[in-house]
Amino acid sequence: MTKSIWASAGALALAFLTTQGAMAQDAKPVRGGILNYGVAGGPHTLDCHAGNSFAVTHHLGPHYSTLMKTDNRNYPNTIGDLAKSWTISPDHLTYTFKLHDNVKFHDGTALTSEDVRASFQRIIDPPAGVVSAWRSMYADLKSVEAPDKDTVVFKMSAPNSGMLSIFGSPWACIYSAAKLKEDPKYPEKTVMGTGPFQLVEHVSGSHWTGKRFDGYFRPGLPYLDGFKAIALSSTALINALAGGQIDAEFRGVTPADQQRIQASRGANIRFEQAEGMGLFMVSFNTKVKPYDDIRVRRALTLAVDRWGGIEPMSRISTLKYVSSFQRPGAPDALPKAQLEKLPGFGRDIKAARAEARRLLAEAGVPNLKFTLINRGPDMPYAPFALYLIDQWRQIGVTVDQQVVDTANWAQRRTSGNFSVIVDVTGDWGEDPSFVMARFLSSDTSFNNPTGFSDPKIEQLFQAQKLEFDPAKRTQAVNVLENYIVEQIFTMPVFRTVRLLPFATKVQNYPVVPVHNWLGDVSEIWLKP
Amino acid sequence: MLTYVAKRLLMTIPTLLGAAVLIFFMLRVVPGDVIEVKLRGDGASVTQDVIDAERRRLGLDKPLPEQFTSWIAGLTRLDPGLSMWTGKPVVDEMSVRLPLSIQVAVMGALIATLIAVPMGTLSALYRDSPIDYLLRIFSLVGLAVPAFWFGMVMILLLLWLFNWLPPVIYTPFHVDPIANLSQLIWPALVVGIRYAAVVARMVRSSVIEVMKEDYIRTARAKGLAEKVIIIRHAMKNAMLPAITVIGLEFAFLMGGLVVTEQVFNLNGIGQLFVQAVAHRDFVLVQNIVMFIAAVFVFTNLAVDLLYAAIDPRIRYR
């Protein structure tokens, strides 16, 4: 009883504080102060072009600019960062960008179009020894030119309706062309960009500090004097938030952590949330019997009560939404009515399970048994797998769970050493050409581990990629998504929430779904 | 004595080499590698050619004997190589963390010795009395309670009672002693109390043994005060086995603070080791294990030499 009173009081306080937080966003920004935030992991590289995890962007993000960027106030629109304006040729094969003319690197040298050209050239055609983790994303890019010091021209080999947002990738940091000429690997050793903060110190495994760059090209920004990113283990991060040692964390916490932190910090903390980009799925190895039989895969997706499970799941984990491949709130997401017609997303679980049993019997595996490979021990992999196992038990399927660490999981996933595996995406952007690319046939997409191939998927993918009319493109994306969900080589189940804690003094950080991008730290300010 | 030391030092070579062979080949049978975790752990769209190029760059495509000899050759030149995860020199990665781990180990050892020696002695002198039972319960609890649990309880208590937590960033003692101690005293207490439980049991049984010796009876017959008998005659001899335990536990602390460092978020060697294993940073893991093996070997040697200093009957040849 006491517990429930406290819980209700906490919820009311939370609602109040969230509103207060939102109201404070409109107040007049104040200059100064240091933002201390936690990061659960250190960067494995100092080179954005080689990075792929939040641990890289949450450290490097404040030091670099990109050509374009996602608009966190009007998400998921793309706006210019270094680009002041841009034009796209009618055939969508030429993108011309005009750059801001007052941009300086942290060493005082002026940025020119050559720096942008050299940086993109490094991504699409990396010199020997340079890792370009996102090269494949720019496959449609033919060349980059710098006809004058303020203009960059990108020539495409094929049109791509998602290209503008791809230019806003947080990994496409702009480096100094002169320094790249001296040493193409300099970004691995030196952090020197045109971003709002200069690097002061990096103590491996401990902390990373930045100070305001007075030559930053956006007038009056950044508001903060500096920031300190503190490396913390997942448990220590929650303790540090509860103890007030850090002011924020930008990846997200669980509802249980939220309660603990709230109980400790009271009015000094607020939480804001958005639909997350983490999609939890199950992938089947379609080269292994009986998962080569679509009836078996269909039975396994039909058995999972997504709508019934999400509410209890959201109380104990970061999983909060029933979702297909596109985020439910994304511009091109399947309409709910259409989604509910897809296998596994229906509301009548009794009928779905009866159908699942019939399909398994028809496929000759009424008492199917298998081992589910799960990635552990991080949240929310464990509750997700346990829920699935229970759901499958209800149609007579027996599942053993094998929990392996990330290295083992990644190796098994890419080598096809599994029958059924818990799978996840955590994309940095919303454009369907990017989000859906990993679900192309296995012989086309190196990121589809299921061995499933169907040329129709490529045709539908190309159709949406070549469609520039927004309404028609949404239709084309819906057709593609519908088709992929129907093939059930990978079954989407639940999506995460991005629940961010902020000390109440932290202002002006609109929460967006993507956790792999830090967002615009230059606009954060601290209430005195 | 010098010959003995030289012999012992020579013996360390095959010991460390054996450890090197074991750790190198055992790591290679563990599934997964650093490239997969780095470039595909978060499900990024990295093509196979990028993976292959990175594998080549790190030398993971070379035959295992070649990788092994190249590592050992590097060690003989005091160049353990680069971390496969961060690309930084292993020496840099370890030297950032070493002062913290050494300080916690030294503080833990001091706390343990300060608690264990009087506790074990009292327990032995008042054998089977309520004091003995009480101290034995303390040492049993110390042994039974896992360090991580004790650490978590300590953190929660600090938060609950004082709404305060130890600093999360390490400050060297010479820079700011208060900040340094307010961070490290808690983990040192956690490991020190468990360590004290182990040592106290050893001190107790040694003192009981020694107090039965003829020379103690002789000392009593000579009319020496009990205090003098205990301090001058009993303790000196009873300390020999305790020193072995203290030494071994110290070596264990240097590499075994894995859990405590996790709980208190200490940027030490133990935490680095856990991260290196998770990342499959073979080079870093190999070198940390070699470092810990070397600490064990040299601590043992130091303990043996200390024996000779304490007990004049012991002479090494």
Side-chain angles (χ1 to χ4, degrees), chain B residues 131-295:
Chain B
I131 293 177
D132 182 28
Y133 292 138
L134 199 71
L135 296 176
R136 279 162 72 184
I137 288 170
F138 171 82
S139 73
L140 275 175
V141 170
L143 283 175
V145 171
F148 74 88
W149 182 85
F150 190 24
M152 285 194 299
V153 168
M154 192 174 267
I155 284 179
L156 290 175
L157 280 175
L158 288 172
L159 191 59
W160 184 54
L161 294 175
F162 308 110
N163 202 18
W164 177 88
L165 282 175
V168 282
I169 295 177
Y170 171 67
T171 313
F173 187 81
H174 64 273
V175 174
D176 184 348
I178 294 182
N180 173 280
L181 291 177
S182 62
Q183 182 189 27
L184 299 189
I185 191 71
W186 313 104
L189 270 174
V190 166
V191 296
I193 287 172
R194 194 203 68 88
Y195 191 167
V198 178
V199 179
R201 289 172 71 82
M202 180 55 76
V203 172
R204 180 181 180 274
S205 58
S206 298
V207 173
I208 289 171
E209 274 307 303
V210 168
M211 292 303 281
K212 290 179 193 161
E213 294 287 336
D214 289 347
Y215 62 83
I216 298 290
R217 200 168 50 228
T218 309
R220 282 198 177 119
K222 276 165 61 185
L224 286 178
E226 194 65 15
K227 210 162 100 182
V228 177
I229 294 170
I230 292 166
I231 294 170
R232 196 183 296 169
H233 297 280
M235 288 302 291
K236 216 169 170 185
N237 290 296
M239 275 299 101
L240 286 177
I243 285 169
T244 311
V245 178
I246 291 171
L248 284 178
E249 280 286 316
F250 178 78
F252 169 77
L253 285 189
M254 282 301 300
L257 282 174
V258 170
V259 176
T260 312
E261 286 184 0
Q262 288 277 321
V263 171
F264 287 93
N265 198 62
L266 301 177
N267 189 29
I269 291 289
Q271 177 127 268
L272 180 67
F273 180 72
V274 172
Q275 288 163 355
V277 170
H279 297 148
R280 300 293 192 274
D281 187 345
F282 295 156
V283 174
L284 194 50
V285 175
Q286 284 160 203
N287 286 298
I288 294 174
V289 172
M290 285 306 287
F291 169 75
I292 294 168
V295 168

